[in-house]
Amino acid sequence: EECIKCVEITGGQCASLSHGCRFVLCASGDLVKVYSTRTEEWLHSLQGHTNQVTGIALNPANHLQVYSCSADGTVKLWDFIDGILIKVQLVLYKCMKLCVSAWPECFQLVAVHLPKSAEQEVEAKEMSVVSSHISSNPSCTAFGRGGEYIAFARRLQLNVYFFRKQKTCSFSLKATDKKGAQNAFTCITCHPTDDCIATGHEDGKIRLWRNFIHKKEYTYSTQHWHHNAVNTLCFTPEGTHLLSGGIESVLVQWQYGAGNRKEFLPRLGGSILHISASSDGQLFCTSHSDNKITVIESSFKVCGVLQGLVKGDAVLTDLMIDPRSKALVLNGKPGHLQFYSLLRDKHLYNLDIVQQEYIYEAGLDQFEVAKAAFDIKGSWLATVEERGQKSSDLEFFLKLWAFDERTQSFVLNTTITAAHTDRIISMCFSSSEETTMLVTIAEDGQFKAWCQGADNQNFWSCDFVGSYHNLKPTNCSFSADSSLLAVSFQEVITIWSPETWEMLTTLCQPPGIIRDLCFGRLSCSKYLLGTTTRNLLCCWNLLTCALEWSSSVEVSKLQPDPLSENVAAFSYQSKHTDLFVFKPSEPRPLFTNKNVCSEKVHRAVFVPREELLNNCDESSQWLNRSQLYFLTQNMDLLTFSTATEEDRMLSSSKQLVIDDSVAVTPFYLLLGKHRQQQQKLNTQSHPAADKPQQPQGSVTIKELLHTPAHVLPAASVLCSMFVNSLLISNTGEMDSEKEEEDSEEEMEACDSQQELRVQGSVDEVMLKLSKAQERELKRVRKTDFSWMADLIDSKP
Amino acid sequence: MGEFKVHRVRFFDYMPSGIRALAFNGDTERMAVARMDGSVEIFHCSDRFFQEKIIPGREQCGIEGLSWVGERLFSAGLNGGITEYDLTNQKVKYTIDAYKIPWYTFLILCFYHLNLDRQKSRIVSLSWHTSGSKIAAGMMDMIQIFNVETGHSIHRMLADRGVGTSRSKECVVWSVVYLSDGTIVSGDSVGMVKLWDDQTGTLIKSHNVTKCDVLALSVSQNEDSLVAGTSEGTVVQFQFVSMVLGKDDKEWVRTRTFKNHTHDIRAVAEITTAVVSGGMDAQLVVKPLLDKIEVRSAASALRKIHFPHRRLVFCARNSGLMLFQYPGHLELWRLGESEGKGIPGSSLFVKRNPEKLLHLKVKGEDHIRCSAVSPCGEWIVYSTASSLRLYRLHCDNNNVSITKISKLPKVLSSANQLCFSSDSSHLFSASTQSSVHIVSLSQSGCKFVGTLKPKSGSHQAIHLLAASEDGEWLASANSDHEVHIYNLQTRKAHCTVPVYSSAVTAMGIHPTTNCLFMMYADQQMCEYSIEQKQYTDWSRTVQRKGLHRLWMERDTPCLNVMFNPQNPSHVILHDTYMLCIIDQSLPLPDDKTQFYNQLTLKSLTEDQRKSHSHAFKVCKTFKDILCVELISDQSLVVVERPLEDVATQLPAPIKQKKFAT
């Protein structure tokens, strides 16, 4: 059975640091994830909620426990180190924010009921309504000193509810004044030891309220640095500093009680959504809108970054797979492309495309990467960046990037400023191995083919300009062997030969403008598929130039699998998306999944698998070679996985939990890698291309490190042993390795051979030298050649 | 509403002087303000901050500090003198040359017997402990506490200099405040407000308030609030607040910041319900503290006082001359002439430009206290604290000459207020004891006629005089809010208008009905029939129905009352922001009617207009009005002094980085 699985996304709205700063906990979808602060590695997740986790808070009474609340109406208490669920409490309303007071005896929960805006407070399973006027923004509620009162704000009113007196004091501000202030509250926090409430406002002001027990004699001071709304505020546990953050992505540290004295930590990434401080004040962490958590030392230095799949405002590029690293590539940070390893669920790096400073301010028109494409080997990357889509004066650049083997990254090769006179709609690389060619189509009615210049000139230039009756092109596609190029002009598909740039034929059947185009692969390469705006999916036979079949279905995205004949089509109808997988040769779908998600799907990609699955089940066979990922409009990346995969994932994650009771240190990585390899030899995967290969661990090193220091012999004795253990044991194997690289056939055997080597066996199966030859070699090696040195020295 | 030709005068270059010191007397609710030119003004805080008294300054008389002792007011100046003021007669009582230690502010008198240890550096600021046994002095780079009995220094507390380039500069402790609990608060040139403990001489806490200087500090009477004025023009408030609610461990916490000034704030004072600040930009700002105010009203609104509540411009009604009163000189101008008629609201072509006829410098060091020009334009009179001078003006075509009248009667040695009769035959001079001297003027000279004395025993100085058109009546108003009416034929007191709680800001006698029309500081108005010795029916109606809310909320007092000779029911009033004609024949507006209704009326037909119109016609075309006067040819003279012009003549303020510039 397949099931849709949400790709793990780091970040979320709230993050919390555990006691002793060892772990970062964050809410992510319906999970609470636990990360190590030192290694930035994901340790495990707390699974159990059935809906979005909306808030987490450490249990002040037990520093190994965490509360989490979720939109499913439950509050759960976890042991986050072991990942054990301890207690579940049912709150009938949607919990939006959870606060736990620092007072150990009374344990209070605040739940905000969204539709009716009623706030509930649970005190040992007893509920009492505190207020029904509460903001839906969870940062607008905070517990005061010792849990004696709770402060909450809604628009222009600040309310303080005193639990003991059961009394609410409210204070309101004017909406605006002559100076253009916007006084709506955006966030609240309370000082841990003093009776002081800090509030953030829409125009960037921070107010510190005091004496709020009096209706009239309350007082506040105002500080202003942020130029946009303050998103979050947090006092350090000692109360000496106040931290604030907003869209500027600058963490500001205000000295409490010293007015304007402040420190800044700029350029943290996306806008800051949430700040939390560890209970000992050693570390702060900020969560950002681009799905990132930054761990910051109290000395105001960034010491760790947990980056999930970067969530921008919109994904303009297609989902792509970098052919080298097999990483998913899409829009990341503003002006960047991100490389994301799906296998390890980890952000690899950002490639700066625009190469301009991004200004974190709302409403600015800045360059964005609009299109990107890889060639088939992954040695070229083409990007289009745009500015001014909304206004009339559009600016765009076409850039070509070459992969540099030495730096293992893409280097800018060519920038084409006026590739077309109007916006580039789409582009694709030819899929042949020998020559790389890029075809771009634009709204100016032309398509252009770009080639690398001849001989030593390795820059790209235009090779051919084509058009068809001045119609606006809509899409383009190369056939699998690059012998044909299909360009659709409104309702007409033109087929070109890239060799001669001769238009071979036109296909003009369907009513409606062509939206997607793709050629069939492998055995179905004689077919061309196209979708139109008039809800039609057509399949042409290119040999007969006739329509093979057509089907009336509204297809929002057509995605061919590069490794098989399968094509996936996402159809959006009556507010939900259906998925069909079919082969172009037959109109009957292989696999259908109704109601995949409720949003429209515009981006999808087939990701080749590391190792093939051999599912015999017919409906899941299409997942054997590659996995389908797709992106919804809500920016959720979803995938299909099989039941067997799920089981394996579950078991491996359990294993990880046990492993991670040991601190994750570099030594652990060295040895742990070795252990893992032994345990899961059959599931061993290729190391990702982006990461340098770890030195192989050996039994000797392990023994060396595991023996207590006082029983070890002197270091000088051990040294040679240690160095020897790192060396590859004899010359013979070196030769064989060279041979491996040369011969293609032996690659097959290589895998098993490597395994053997790892286990430390010195099996010389591959040795081709005879005994006699070997003896001769040893003799030569032992011969004294020192006389030669004398000879060289004596030379004048 | 009548149509008037308006002379819009903008050539009166009046420059208000910067405020140097403030002192608040909580018992009498009076605020004393000392200005850079040495003048001292008394404002009545509970009477809408009406400027009750003005004591003009002198040349080279810088006041550095002001202090109330009971009801007595003292000032200390740069020249080392201590001055006491006679507030009833609005003049300097005496000046004592104290030690030649210039420039200190002082709080309680009788400390000039003090013999402190000789100081090398100069003392910039001083503050007494309430016990009177200790005194804190702010100096260069340090604060010292002295024991008053021994005169020895108890503690020396060093104030840090600034960082960076300002490290080489001395840190001047501009201001110290000694609180009764032993805390010393200091404001210095580094921009810090520091709190010190006088027992140990240690710093408790420091607040960085500004990048520039903290020039003034003031503490509220119950010592729970402290305000600091900076040279950026901000006032920063500190409050003594308990950090944990319901507990007693209080701390000084910086709370609010007010920015109402453009230049240095040289003086701040916290009064019961507001923070008053004044500085180089010459405006007195009263910022109400909303948490101390019980009921919000016009009386408790933010108030900015730019101009004195006295007339500085006088018009010779019949000859088109204008007299401008500056502190040190008088200027006489002839109004321009225009051609033809235009439609209402349009400006006319100026045929002849206004012309400055005379520049009369004051003899001696004293500044002018009051002046007047006769309606015929023949006589000019001014008075300083020590002398009164009367001049006769000869004006034939382009030649202007004046002759000083040499033999003045002895009673005319000095005057608090001066006024000519409408036929220019008599001069009335308000003198001490609320008395008015009458002098008859003729071609040959002047002759003392007699003295008018009030029946009541009030000794307060007269600040307003009004003579009737027919020369029969004279009204005088003094600072005790008394208005006396004299019969000029019999030279006897005729009657006294019932005393109202608020001060009279302007008054005038109606030319035909001989009713006295009075405007009060709280924006009330009264009409008193002199002949019948009682309020008129219209006045009673006004009192019964009450005035419109918008009228009551205006924040500047009316400064002149005039009567339209063509329509006896029209009374013309003005304050700093508007010109108003009250038509006594029309019904009074109540709170529901639209007060500013001119635009609405314009759109209505004649018949509808009648039902919609009410007595108040307000004209807001003119701004920052110093004076409006009706002259004989049915035209109005409006003297404006735009605040922008005042601001351009001020020295440049401290440059500040503004966001996004």
Side-chain angles (χ1 to χ4, degrees):
Chain A
E1 265 302 299
E2 290 85 12
C3 58
I4 307 160
K5 190 192 104 200
C6 186
V7 166
E8 317 292 333
I9 291 171
T10 331
Q13 325 91 328
C14 22
S16 196
L17 280 159
S18 78
H19 190 82
C21 302
R22 279 181 57 200
F23 305 106
V24 180
L25 298 139
C26 79
S28 157
D30 54 359
L31 304 174
V32 176
K33 290 192 165 185
V34 184
Y35 291 86
S36 161
T37 49
R38 255 172 286 179
T39 62
E40 303 159 25
E41 289 290 326
W42 169 67
L43 302 181
H44 57 95
S45 302
L46 310 177
Q47 279 177 322
H49 282 293
T50 53
N51 206 334
Q52 189 93 16
V53 177
T54 50
I56 47 175
L58 292 171
N59 185 0
N62 185 342
H63 61 80
L64 299 176
Q65 293 177 351
V66 67
Y67 287 105
S68 69
C69 73
S70 153
D72 63 2
T74 58
V75 172
K76 291 184 170 154
L77 179 64
W78 308 84
D79 182 322
F80 62 82
I81 292 179
D82 298 333
I84 300 164
L85 177 65
I86 299 170
K87 209 156 80 179
V88 180
Q89 281 187 335
L90 276 173
V91 183
L92 295 172
Y93 299 100
K94 245 186 199 175
C95 307
M96 283 310 291
K97 158 91 174 187
L98 173 97
C99 291
V100 178
S101 85
W103 219 244
E105 289 95 46
C106 63
F107 147 64
Q108 289 151 350
L109 300 173
V110 177
V112 186
H113 181 214
L114 252 188
K116 279 188 186 170
S117 285
E119 188 194 25
Q120 253 69 40
E121 175 248 330
V122 182
E123 221 174 304
K125 286 175 188 169
E126 264 178 62
M127 273 201 227
S128 67
V129 176
V130 170
S131 168
S132 53
H133 290 285
I134 194 112
S135 163
S136 59
N137 179 358
S139 23
C140 279
T141 314
F143 267 103
R145 174 184 57 84
E148 284 183 15
Y149 53 88
I150 179 164
F152 47 97
R154 186 167 184 245
R155 269 183 243 126
L156 291 162
Q157 197 175 44
L158 170 71
N159 300 290
V160 186
Y161 178 80
F162 294 91
F163 289 111
R164 211 166 286 167
K165 288 187 233 154
Q166 307 229 318
K167 188 184 96 177
T168 312
C169 289
S170 36
F171 315 98
S172 27
L173 293 170
K174 275 189 215 155
T176 52
D177 63 10
K178 284 175 205 156
K179 289 164 191 160
Q182 289 169 312
N183 288 329
F185 287 91
T186 53
C187 52
I188 283 189
T189 187
C190 297
H191 194 274
T193 54
D194 286 351
D195 281 322
C196 171
I197 300 174
T199 59
H201 297 265
E202 217 158 64
D203 56 354
K205 285 196 182 104
I206 295 172
R207 287 191 168 89
L208 294 171
W209 299 72
R210 285 193 181 82
N211 242 359
F212 41 80
I213 200 158
H214 304 285
K215 267 239 141 69
K216 218 159 168 52
E217 279 161 34
Y218 70 91
T219 177
Y220 60 77
S221 55
T222 312
Q223 284 154 349
H224 201 171
W225 182 84
H226 295 275
H227 66 74
N228 257 327
V230 185
N231 281 343
T232 176
L233 286 169
C234 174
F235 272 108
T236 56
E238 304 88 7
T240 49
H241 292 99
L242 173 66
L243 302 161
S244 68
I247 193 177
E248 304 88 354
S249 82
V250 180
L251 181 68
V252 187
Q253 189 182 43
W254 306 79
Q255 204 173 326
Y256 175 70
N260 278 325
R261 211 171 299 162
K262 51 193 175 282
E263 278 181 69
F264 305 103
L265 186 63
R267 288 181 280 280
L268 288 175
S271 62
I272 297 174
L273 297 182
H274 189 266
I275 303 173
S276 71
S278 69
S279 56
D280 55 358
Q282 290 297 306
L283 291 179
F284 312 127
C285 69
T286 56
S287 65
H288 301 261
S289 61
D290 59 352
N291 207 1
K292 184 168 91 166
I293 294 175
T294 313
V295 184
I296 296 156
E297 282 172 25
S298 54
S299 59
F300 247 50
K301 263 185 218 147
V302 174
C303 64
V305 176
L306 311 174
Q307 175 75 66
L309 184 71
V310 177
K311 259 188 187 173
D313 299 330
V315 171
L316 301 167
T317 62
D318 276 330
L319 297 182
M320 286 162 296
I321 296 298
D322 176 18
R324 280 171 192 270
S325 63
K326 301 284 180 286
L328 181 71
V329 180
L330 68 159
N331 280 119
K333 262 165 72 172
H336 289 65
L337 280 181
Q338 63 172 320
F339 287 68
Y340 190 84
S341 165
L342 292 165
L343 195 73
R344 293 189 294 139
D345 186 18
K346 203 176 172 193
H347 180 82
L348 301 178
Y349 64 95
N350 279 314
L351 179 66
D352 190 354
I353 301 294
V354 171
Q355 298 183 333
Q356 277 179 12
E357 182 89 14
Y358 185 79
I359 302 160
Y360 284 96
E361 199 183 318
L364 286 184
D365 191 14
Q366 300 181 68
F367 272 110
E368 271 295 342
V369 183
K371 299 277 179 298
F374 280 101
D375 80 332
I376 195 135
K377 285 180 286 184
S379 51
W380 289 99
L381 166 67
T383 59
V384 175
E385 63 208 59
E386 279 182 4
R387 182 166 78 171
Q389 287 103 321
K390 287 146 207 158
S391 60
S392 53
D393 48 339
L394 179 86
E395 278 183 79
F396 63 93
F397 295 112
L398 174 66
K399 281 180 179 170
L400 284 139
W401 305 75
F403 189 78
D404 185 15
E405 292 285 346
R406 198 171 48 79
T407 57
Q408 290 287 305
S409 72
F410 285 94
V411 176
L412 184 62
N413 178 278
T414 313
T415 304
I416 302 159
T417 47
H420 284 270
T421 54
D422 209 344
R423 207 166 78 91
I424 294 175
I425 298 166
S426 173
M427 60 183 180
C428 60
F429 273 103
S430 72
S431 33
S432 78
E433 297 269 343
E434 299 86 47
T435 56
T436 44
M437 179 190 289
L438 176 73
V439 170
T440 56
I441 58 167
E443 282 179 356
D444 59 0
Q446 287 177 332
F447 76 90
K448 287 188 183 177
W450 307 84
C451 274
Q452 213 179 353
D455 305 331
N456 36 11
Q457 204 187 5
N458 59 356
F459 298 112
W460 288 68
S461 55
C462 186
D463 187 47
F464 177 73
V465 181
S467 64
Y468 182 78
H469 290 294
N470 242 348
L471 288 173
K472 195 182 270 184
T474 54
N475 214 327
C476 61
S477 177
F478 271 104
S479 67
D481 56 354
S482 291
S483 61
L484 291 175
L485 168 69
V487 182
S488 60
F489 289 93
Q490 304 282 45
E491 287 142 32
V492 185
I493 301 170
T494 55
I495 309 287
W496 305 73
S497 156
E499 302 284 311
T500 56
W501 290 118
E502 179 187 357
M503 191 165 78
L504 300 173
T505 183
T506 57
L507 303 167
C508 174
Q509 194 77 38
I513 296 160
I514 306 282
R515 195 187 277 158
D516 263 336
L517 265 186
C518 74
F519 280 95
R521 306 271 157 169
L522 304 175
S523 65
C524 297
S525 54
K526 62 182 175 186
Y527 297 108
L528 173 67
L529 289 165
T531 62
T532 72
T533 50
R534 292 273 193 90
N535 298 350
L536 208 61
L537 174 64
C538 304
C539 178
W540 286 275
N541 189 332
L542 291 171
L543 300 177
T544 60
C545 286
L547 191 68
E548 188 86 3
W549 54 268
S550 73
S551 153
S552 177
V553 59
E554 201 277 338
V555 178
S556 62
K557 176 71 191 170
L558 198 64
Q559 184 65 38
D561 183 359
L563 298 181
S564 68
E565 297 96 343
N566 300 330
V567 175
F570 289 91
S571 149
Y572 182 74
Q573 267 166 342
S574 55
K575 297 198 170 169
H576 61 85
T577 298
D578 302 329
L579 170 70
F580 302 101
V581 180
F582 60 94
K583 282 183 181 171
S585 54
E586 48 189 317
R588 190 182 61 85
L590 285 173
F591 169 79
T592 318
N593 192 323
K594 295 272 180 192
N595 204 353
V596 174
C597 60
S598 55
E599 299 100 8
K600 212 168 183 174
V601 173
H602 277 298
R603 316 275 177 221
V605 71
F606 274 100
V607 182
R609 281 187 192 279
E610 293 295 324
E611 79 264 24
L612 301 182
L613 289 182
N614 31 13
N615 277 330
C616 308
D617 189 6
E618 200 184 317
S619 66
S620 56
Q621 257 177 355
W622 63 282
L623 285 170
N624 280 1
R625 281 169 177 276
S626 43
Q627 206 173 355
L628 178 66
Y629 283 81
F630 56 97
L631 195 73
T632 66
Q633 278 181 328
N634 272 10
M635 303 283 299
D636 293 324
L637 189 62
L638 302 172
T639 186
F640 279 91
S641 58
T642 55
T644 46
E645 266 185 300
E646 284 288 299
D647 290 346
R648 213 178 51 209
M649 291 250 306
L650 220 67
S651 65
S652 72
S653 74
K654 267 180 193 152
Q655 225 167 6
L656 265 171
V657 171
I658 300 156
D659 271 3
D660 282 310
S661 56
V662 185
V664 185
T665 58
F667 272 125
Y668 167 78
L669 285 178
L670 199 73
L671 301 170
K673 189 97 185 170
H674 177 67
R675 206 191 309 166
Q676 268 180 328
Q677 276 172 339
Q678 278 185 325
Q679 281 166 351
K680 301 189 279 175
L681 266 176
N682 47 343
T683 58
Q684 171 69 46
S685 59
H686 296 288
D690 62 288
K691 202 174 167 184
Q693 207 166 341
Q694 298 271 356
Q696 303 278 319
S698 82
V699 188
T700 328
I701 300 170
K702 191 174 174 182
E703 271 166 12
L704 191 91
L705 295 168
H706 277 244
T707 321
H710 61 276
V711 294
L712 276 177
S716 56
V717 181
L718 284 171
C719 183
S720 62
M721 205 172 92
F722 178 72
V723 172
N724 275 330
S725 77
L726 292 175
L727 293 173
I728 290 153
S729 44
N730 64 28
T731 47
E733 213 169 76
M734 292 277 272
D735 294 340
S736 73
E737 211 160 54
K738 272 178 199 160
E739 278 171 16
E740 270 170 30
E741 279 176 11
D742 296 339
S743 63
E744 283 284 348
E745 281 76 30
E746 270 169 24
M747 280 298 273
E748 297 295 323
C750 173
D751 275 347
S752 62
Q753 201 190 330
Q754 268 181 336
E755 285 159 27
L756 290 167
R757 203 189 305 146
V758 164
Q759 281 169 335
S761 75
V762 200
D763 209 31
E764 296 177 60
V765 196
M766 298 302 290
L767 220 61
K768 295 287 190 288
L769 299 169
S770 71
K771 289 265 156 112
Q773 282 173 314
E774 198 176 12
R775 223 174 290 131
E776 178 67 11
L777 204 79
K778 274 184 182 161
R779 197 187 54 78
V780 172
R781 216 181 284 161
K782 277 176 187 161
T783 321
D784 195 1
F785 288 106
S786 55
W787 54 272
M788 241 171 144
D790 292 342
L791 203 78
I792 294 160
D793 285 345
S794 62
K795 262 197 168 177
Chain B
M1 185 164 177
E3 273 184 23
F4 294 98
K5 191 163 87 177
V6 176
H7 295 270
R8 199 169 186 171
V9 175
R10 288 198 173 182
F11 44 81
F12 181 32
D13 289 329
Y14 171 72
M15 269 306 290
S17 180
I19 291 168
R20 187 62 194 85
L22 292 171
F24 176 63
N25 189 339
D27 301 329
T28 57
E29 297 217 300
R30 298 298 198 276
M31 174 66 77
V33 177
R35 293 193 183 259
M36 296 292 190
D37 62 358
S39 63
V40 173
E41 293 160 7
I42 310 291
F43 289 84
H44 193 167
C45 302
S46 54
D47 191 13
R48 301 249 187 146
F49 267 82
F50 180 66
Q51 192 180 32
E52 280 189 330
K53 293 165 188 175
I54 300 174
I55 301 163
R58 294 158 59 93
E59 292 296 316
Q60 270 118 42
C61 155
I63 295 178
E64 290 298 321
L66 269 180
S67 179
W68 289 92
V69 180
E71 298 216 348
R72 300 163 73 187
L73 181 68
F74 295 88
S75 78
L78 261 181
N79 51 9
I82 291 168
T83 307
E84 188 182 348
Y85 295 93
D86 177 0
L87 292 176
T88 43
N89 291 315
Q90 303 184 10
K91 62 180 187 187
V92 174
K93 210 180 222 171
Y94 55 86
T95 300
I96 301 165
D97 280 336
Y99 295 126
K100 295 289 181 192
I101 313 165
W103 202 353
Y104 50 72
T105 47
F106 63 108
L107 283 179
I108 299 168
L109 193 76
C110 72
F111 74 98
Y112 34 85
H113 301 295
L114 200 63
N115 217 342
L116 302 178
D117 291 348
R118 277 192 70 84
Q119 292 307 314
K120 274 180 191 164
S121 69
R122 58 181 184 170
I123 295 175
V124 180
S125 49
L126 275 179
S127 177
W128 284 80
H129 189 247
T130 37
S131 67
S133 61
K134 279 182 275 188
I135 193 165
M139 303 184 212
M140 296 299 165
D141 284 332
M142 66 173 168
I143 300 157
Q144 284 201 337
I145 308 173
F146 295 100
N147 186 326
V148 176
E149 278 146 42
T150 60
H152 292 304
S153 162
I154 305 171
H155 282 296
R156 271 162 55 101
M157 300 174 295
L158 296 182
D160 287 336
R161 291 184 178 189
V163 285
T165 49
S166 54
R167 179 148 280 278
S168 54
K169 273 194 217 158
E170 281 185 314
C171 169
V172 187
V173 182
W174 288 118
S175 178
V176 284
V177 169
Y178 209 142
L179 303 179
S180 54
D181 65 352
T183 309
I184 295 167
V185 189
S186 71
D188 56 33
S189 61
V190 182
M192 306 290 271
V193 170
K194 289 182 172 170
L195 297 149
W196 311 82
D197 181 22
D198 74 332
Q199 290 295 316
T200 56
T202 49
L203 181 69
I204 303 169
K205 193 149 196 191
S206 68
H207 294 271
N208 190 3
V209 168
T210 170
K211 282 175 186 146
C212 336
D213 301 28
V214 177
L215 294 172
L217 283 173
S218 167
V219 73
S220 69
Q221 278 180 319
N222 52 1
E223 295 195 350
D224 66 348
S225 168
L226 183 86
V227 282
T230 69
S231 51
E232 282 173 332
T234 52
V235 174
V236 182
Q237 191 190 15
F238 294 85
Q239 280 177 292
F240 202 45
V241 170
S242 52
M243 298 310 279
V244 176
L245 291 174
K247 290 197 178 160
D248 264 351
D249 52 338
K250 292 191 171 183
E251 268 180 49
W252 285 100
V253 176
R254 179 187 167 160
T255 54
R256 279 164 281 204
T257 306
F258 312 120
K259 174 116 175 69
N260 291 306
H261 290 272
T262 53
H263 289 69
D264 290 18
I265 291 178
R266 302 299 293 267
V268 281
E270 196 174 337
I271 64 172
T272 40
T273 60
V275 174
V276 183
S277 55
M280 295 297 287
D281 53 0
Q283 52 174 335
L284 188 72
V285 176
V286 183
K287 168 76 194 174
L289 295 171
L290 293 178
D291 54 330
K292 303 253 173 78
I293 293 165
E294 296 301 322
V295 192
R296 279 200 199 190
S297 66
S300 63
L302 173 72
R303 202 176 284 277
K304 289 185 176 185
I305 300 166
H306 300 279
F307 299 124
H309 296 158
R310 291 283 169 90
R311 291 182 62 184
L312 298 171
V313 180
F314 305 91
C315 275
R317 252 186 291 157
N318 304 328
S319 58
L321 295 178
M322 264 189 307
L323 184 73
F324 296 145
Q325 178 189 322
Y326 292 91
H329 67 273
L330 292 170
E331 277 180 14
L332 192 71
W333 288 71
R334 181 185 286 140
L335 286 171
E337 276 177 34
S338 61
E339 241 176 11
K341 281 190 169 182
I343 51 159
S346 65
S347 53
L348 299 174
F349 175 74
V350 179
K351 194 167 70 183
R352 197 185 67 195
N353 279 329
E355 176 183 15
K356 185 175 169 182
L357 302 177
L358 199 68
H359 183 99
L360 192 63
K361 273 195 90 173
V362 174
K363 285 271 181 324
E365 285 185 332
D366 289 339
H367 287 166
I368 297 172
R369 180 189 281 173
C370 57
S371 60
V373 62
S374 69
C376 64
E378 217 171 302
W379 302 91
I380 294 171
V381 65
Y382 77 86
S383 168
T384 65
S386 56
S387 67
L388 185 143
R389 276 161 208 268
L390 182 66
Y391 296 92
R392 187 147 179 220
L393 189 74
H394 307 282
C395 194
D396 42 319
N397 295 327
N398 290 329
N399 290 330
V400 178
S401 61
I402 52 165
T403 46
K404 189 188 161 213
I405 309 297
S406 50
K407 282 178 200 157
L408 285 181
K410 265 192 182 162
V411 288
L412 289 187
S413 62
S414 161
N416 284 324
Q417 188 60 259
L418 291 160
C419 172
F420 286 97
S421 67
S422 59
D423 57 356
S424 310
S425 62
H426 289 84
L427 168 69
F428 308 109
S429 153
S431 177
T432 53
Q433 312 273 320
S434 281
S435 62
V436 180
H437 302 296
I438 309 171
V439 177
S440 76
L441 306 167
S442 62
Q443 295 289 344
S444 53
C446 61
K447 208 178 94 193
F448 175 66
V449 177
T451 302
L452 304 170
K453 278 193 178 154
K455 281 178 191 157
S456 72
S458 171
H459 303 295
Q460 292 287 346
I462 287 169
H463 69 273
L464 280 173
L465 283 173
S468 72
E469 194 80 8
D470 55 10
E472 234 174 275
W473 308 103
L474 178 75
S476 74
N478 69 13
S479 314
D480 271 347
H481 307 172
E482 290 173 352
V483 178
H484 300 289
I485 299 166
Y486 303 98
N487 189 327
L488 292 175
Q489 305 294 320
T490 60
R491 292 175 206 140
K492 287 272 160 62
H494 177 67
C495 62
T496 304
V497 178
V499 175
Y500 183 62
S501 61
S502 184
V504 180
T505 63
M507 59 184 185
I509 298 173
H510 199 283
T512 52
T513 60
N514 271 346
C515 289
L516 181 67
F517 197 97
M518 289 163 290
M519 289 303 304
Y520 293 97
D522 62 355
Q523 310 297 357
Q524 288 290 350
M525 55 181 78
C526 278
E527 198 186 26
Y528 187 81
S529 167
I530 295 173
E531 279 145 17
Q532 290 162 16
K533 298 190 188 176
Q534 63 176 17
Y535 287 114
T536 62
D537 290 341
W538 185 83
S539 178
R540 285 173 204 276
T541 322
V542 169
Q543 293 309 314
R544 203 173 54 245
K545 287 191 78 173
L547 289 156
H548 196 276
R549 186 177 51 83
L550 289 173
W551 177 265
M552 300 298 282
E553 280 176 2
R554 291 175 312 116
D555 73 337
T556 50
C558 283
L559 292 182
N560 201 0
V561 176
M562 292 151 287
F563 303 95
N564 186 354
Q566 298 193 337
N567 191 341
S569 64
H570 281 184
V571 181
I572 306 168
L573 304 168
H574 85 88
D575 68 7
T576 311
Y577 301 107
M578 59 106 213
L579 176 71
C580 175
I581 297 178
I582 297 173
D583 191 338
Q584 288 175 312
S585 61
L586 287 175
L588 289 165
D590 58 13
D591 267 357
K592 280 169 206 153
T593 48
Q594 191 191 7
F595 189 67
Y596 302 116
N597 62 353
Q598 267 91 315
L599 276 178
T600 333
L601 287 183
K602 256 188 191 171
S603 63
L604 296 174
T605 60
E606 283 289 329
D607 300 338
Q608 286 172 316
R609 255 182 228 184
K610 268 186 191 149
S611 61
H612 279 82
S613 56
H614 59 74
F616 289 84
K617 321 278 185 195
V618 180
C619 165
K620 290 205 166 188
T621 318
F622 310 104
K623 286 214 172 69
D624 309 320
I625 303 167
L626 280 177
C627 174
V628 174
E629 189 77 77
L630 195 67
I631 55 175
S632 54
D633 61 340
Q634 190 65 12
S635 57
L636 280 173
V637 179
V638 178
V639 182
E640 288 175 293
R641 179 66 179 147
L643 288 177
E644 301 86 65
D645 295 0
V646 175
T648 52
Q649 289 185 28
L650 289 170
I654 284 176
K655 271 244 172 83
Q656 274 174 294
K657 167 96 182 88
K658 273 200 180 145
F659 180 69
T661 53

